[in-house]
Amino acid sequence: MKKIAILCSGGDCQGMNACIKAVADTCHSNKIELLGINRGYQGLIENDVRPLEKLDVANIETVAGAIIKTSRSPEFMTEEGFNKAIANLKLNGIEGLIVIGGNGSFRGCRDLVNAGVHVIGI
């Protein structure tokens, strides 16, 4: 894979930035482009996507919350919202998605996997 994305879904917690940093460091070491999706699945629906460069993640593991913000997205649970999310993954050339979240987030992961998307849940 050459390009992946990461998003945070559901409630905020202090470990999210540490996960984002670990993923970013691994991507940068392996020459994989990493995109951050702001505001979780809702940001994916709205195509609120940005590159996460080394300077973007410097020292974020010491800060609570998520630099890419997190949210809950009732729209993602609709067929229309889900289809917009899939379309934006394709539009951005995203080959894999990392989702940081809990139960509801992982139900979204399951649906994406069933639609053919490569997903890792944290």
Side-chain angles (χ1 to χ4, degrees):
M1 289 189 188
K2 302 274 189 215
K3 185 189 285 189
I4 65 172
I6 190 167
L7 65 80
C8 297
S9 175
D12 202 10
C13 76
Q14 60 269 44
M16 289 179 164
N17 278 340
C19 288
I20 294 166
K21 174 123 172 77
V23 169
D25 289 348
T26 301
C27 286
H28 296 136
S29 294
N30 290 285
K31 298 186 181 356
I32 297 170
E33 184 178 354
L34 178 63
L35 300 176
I37 301 171
N38 295 310
R39 298 174 296 106
Y41 289 124
Q42 191 61 40
L44 182 56
I45 291 168
E46 297 171 7
N47 201 29
D48 189 2
V49 179
R50 65 181 172 114
L52 288 179
E53 305 294 340
K54 280 187 177 191
L55 287 177
D56 296 320
V57 298
N59 299 317
I60 65 168
E61 69 276 12
T62 63
V63 179
I67 63 163
I68 54 177
K69 299 187 175 49
T70 186
S71 71
R72 292 180 173 90
S73 176
E75 185 179 0
F76 184 74
M77 295 182 240
T78 68
E79 185 176 352
E80 182 181 355
F82 184 80
N83 289 335
K84 284 181 186 177
I86 295 289
N88 285 329
L89 288 170
K90 291 177 183 174
L91 176 70
N92 289 290
I94 296 169
E95 301 169 85
L97 181 64
I98 297 174
V99 176
I100 302 169
N103 291 344
S105 305
F106 294 156
R107 282 192 293 275
C109 290
R110 178 202 57 213
D111 295 342
L112 289 167
V113 167
N114 290 338
V117 178
H118 299 286
V119 179
I120 295 173
I122 301 173

